[in-house]
Amino acid sequence: MSGNPGRFRRWLSHAPGRSAFPGPTLAGSGTGDRQDERSAGAGGPQRIRRSSTTRSVAREVFLLQLVLVVLLVAAAVVAILVQTRRDTMTDARHRTIAAAESFAHSWGLQQALNSDNPTAKLQPLAEAARKASGVDALIVYKLDGITLTHSDPRQIGKHVIGPYADAARGKPFTRTFEGALGLSVISAAPVKDSSGKVVAIVAAPVTVEKVQKSVNQQLPIFVGTAVGALALAGGGAGLVSRRLRRQTHGLGPAEMTRMYEHHDAVLHAVREGVLIVGRNGRLLLANDEARRLLDLPADAEGRRVGDLGLDRRTAELLASDRIATDEVHLAQDRLLALNKRSAGRHGAHQGSVVTLRDTTELRWLSGRAEVARERLRLLYDAGVRIGSTLNVERTAEDLAQVAVPRFADIVTVELLDPVLKGEEPAAAGTELRRTAIAGLAGDHPLYPVGELIRFVPGTPMAASVDQGRSIVEPDLAGSSGWRSQDPERARRILDLGVHSLAAVPLRARGVVLGLVDFWRSGSSPPFDDEDLSFAEELAGRAAVGIDNARRYTRERTMAMTLQRSLMPRGLPDQDALEVAHRYLAAQAGVGGDWFDVIPLPGARVALVIGDVVGHGLHAAATMGRLRVAVHNFSALDLSPDELLRHLDELVTHIDVPGEDAEEGPAITGATCLYVIYDSVSGRVTAATAGHPPPAVAHPDGRVEFLHPPVSPPLGLGTGLPFETIELSLPEGSRLVLYTDGLVENRSRDLDAGLEALRAALAGPERTPEDTCATVMQSMLPARSADDVALLVARTRRLDPAHVAEWDVPRDPAAVGPVRNDCVRQLADWGLQHIAYGTELILSELITNAIRYGAEPIHVRLLHTRTLICEVSDGSSTSPHIRQAKDTDEEGRGLFLVAQFAEHWGTRYSPRGKTIWAAQAIGPDALASQEESGDDLLSHWEHLGEW
């Protein structure tokens, strides 16, 4: 038992924490410090600087905290181990005495001792009790020292000598001794008989090592807890050190000391005053520049700012918690720019930091810089405003308004008359028309707007226009040249307070367009050379805008003139339709929208409307070319699809430039809608080339859109055919043709525009004029971005009583009866006076149809403003008029037709052709026919042969 303490001491010497962290080394002094000092002494200043650089304040604090934590954890572990040893000895005593007492008082022990063989009975009981109690042995001795039981059977029967006197006297005891097995604890208890006499002794020994094993099972828990505490404490120390390193930026003590020394030196060396004021209004710090600027006393720090003799306004600002930025304060004869910021966080006022800057020398420069900034801002505003509209007068007004009152108190603008008309000024003259005035209201002594001013030679204005240079009159009161223009008016101007003038010519592309006069009055300073330079810059920008507006005015005037010359001057007389129209030019200028009404033979009328993409001269010229082409194709009496096909081919050919021609704008983008209305049948035939569909307003108020098959715009060269749509309309229906500017704009798509048009056309029946007015008022904004053309036609039907028709068999004998029926019909219509010519025309046309045509042959007479004779047959061969020679037996028939008819022609249909001739039916038609009748009578019997 004597080896246990030594074993414990050996374990303790290898316990975690003792050998790894020896106390002297962690203390930061002793041998380690002395070695550092020796190293520092050997290495010199550079070694000290390197050591201080690598050892930051945060690192030293971390190491110190870590050492303290390790020492505390090690002390706790030692205390736990000592307490464990003490608890082990106490447990050993309690265990042995309990085992001995329990066995000594066990039931049956007396009987066993009194038996013949006590060992045989007690040995099993003792072994069982030993194992249950955890002691090394349960030894039963008699008073004579003979062993009755033992854990080692070889010891039974031997005599053992020990300190059992107390037990023999009836008192239990416990002893600690160093045995062969190490440090051990033994307890003894007396065994008494019923009379209380001690008859035997029970001893229970146990080694401390055995008890220690059970305690050691709890030691990992203690060690784990210690390691956990060490890790937690080390982590906390690391976080604290990290935050400290962030706040100190990783600097060591020497660096921090040097940094604060440098900061203090800089603070007092800068040319800007720095003050730190506490929240109680006391001055905490003032650098040398602040003391100089504010003339602070030597003991200023620590005193209230109100007691330092500062300006009241400055002292109130320093004592308050108000933020200031570049506020100008007066300090004796200095102007100081003061900036003040709060030193607290999250809005808490814990003091203020104030910086001061002497701005006395910069005041003049800052004033000039402010003037320059204002001038640049004025030039920018002028560039944005002047020239925003392509109107000469409006541009001049913008120039005058933008300069008042930021540069001048009054501004007047005078322009040459050709410039106002959009013409090129031939040469600058002294006669200018006042175009704009700004800065004056009501009655004033200056020339009014619109008046033509003839500047007298010698005046600043005349010299400026003649010489093309700017002139400044800083004192108008002393200027005799300016007063010579109109002495009385000049006096009134001076009485108004005007005292200075700058006259600047408006020049663009080397040509003087006019003059701008800048006037100053009242307390405004007179103009100087710097002001004149700015005035010239402003006038130069305005002159470009005025010249652009002038050129636009000229081009727009030319385009409008061209368009007016190409648009229909009036609508032709016809009975098939009641027509009204509107045309609205776009805000951007003349466009390519156009329309036309073309009477066709056979009581028919063609309505055409088109749109050329773009604005200006090219669009207007293109529109005129298309309109002339449509008129020419209409003279051929083509169907709508055929006419658009020929028109598309024409646009494709004329849009190809020649080899030497300069590349110009193309016509591609033109649209066209062609509609034919037949007043006899009430039938409408329409075809479109990329144009919006026409609308039909029925007499009952219902509105529908005719949608011809979709075809591309003109000039694309797609080769796609054009198709038509046909329908019959009741009399009184309104056909509405329009361009896309009416139904489509930036704020409204095509579908919404068509619905709006439908709503405008719906309702009770209206005349075409009323319809145009209603549609234009409800559909268009105040200022349209695109030009608009609108054509409204109300249908009429030809009275059936004014239509006569006959089917003619292909027999020369049928010519006479049909001719006689026609003469009787003319008598019914009261047209006997033209019957002679009509007979000749019908005889020739019917004879030609029978001889050269094919069945069916049909004759129709239409009584309208004229008498129209139509002969149709199933052949597509058309006769041609020619001048017959004296020896020719044929060729004179169509010549006679042309003599008696005002117009004649041929139109084709899917079933053949129709040759028509129109005769005048007025009273003057009789004389002409009677004169020709005698000359042609000799040829009458030969008409059947022609």
Side-chain angles (χ1 to χ4, degrees), residues 97 117 188 191 278 549 783:
I97 192 64
N117 189 1
V191 181
R783 306 181 71 180

Side-chain angles (χ1 to χ4, degrees), residues 651-662:
V651 171
T652 303
H653 285 92
I654 67 176
D655 207 23
V656 178
E659 295 181 357
D660 300 331
E662 295 183 359

Side-chain angles (χ1 to χ4, degrees), residues 686-819:
T688 180
H691 201 82
V696 177
H698 293 271
D700 59 2
R702 181 170 52 91
V703 179
E704 65 175 332
F705 289 95
L706 304 182
H707 290 280
V710 178
S711 299
L714 302 173
L716 296 184
T718 59
L720 297 176
F722 295 92
E723 300 182 34
T724 61
I725 183 174
E726 294 187 12
L727 76 160
S728 295
L729 296 180
E731 187 174 7
S733 300
R734 286 168 292 164
L735 275 169
V736 181
L737 284 66
Y738 53 90
T739 55
D740 58 352
L742 180 70
V743 295
E744 192 175 12
N745 53 45
R746 294 180 180 178
S747 61
R748 183 174 60 194
D749 59 13
L750 179 60
D751 293 337
L754 293 178
E755 289 303 318
L757 178 60
R758 184 195 301 272
L761 294 175
E765 184 178 359
R766 292 186 290 265
T767 64
E769 278 293 334
D770 294 339
T771 302
C772 286
T774 302
V775 170
M776 296 294 283
Q777 182 178 2
S778 61
M779 295 289 295
L780 292 181
R783 306 181 71 180
S784 178
D786 193 8
D787 48 346
V788 175
L790 175 64
L791 187 63
V792 179
R794 184 162 59 181
T795 61
R796 296 170 178 166
R797 284 289 187 93
L798 184 63
D799 189 350
H802 289 180
V803 180
E805 298 180 276
W806 296 270
D807 290 325
V808 181
R810 192 174 182 184
D811 184 0
V815 175
V818 172
R819 184 177 59 207

Side-chain angles (χ1 to χ4, degrees), residues 165-177:
D166 292 338
R169 288 194 294 272
K171 296 181 178 180
F173 72 91
T174 299
R175 295 288 186 273
T176 300
F177 66 93

Side-chain angles (χ1 to χ4, degrees), residues 549-581:
R550 178 195 62 80
R551 298 170 67 183
Y552 170 77
T553 301
R554 180 184 61 183
E555 181 178 347
R556 187 172 186 272
T557 302
M558 294 173 59
M560 292 184 67
T561 303
L562 175 62
Q563 186 186 43
R564 281 195 296 267
S565 65
L566 297 177
M567 290 285 282
R569 299 291 181 89
L571 298 180
D573 293 332
Q574 45 82 32
D575 296 327
L577 296 170
E578 180 186 356
V579 182
H581 62 88

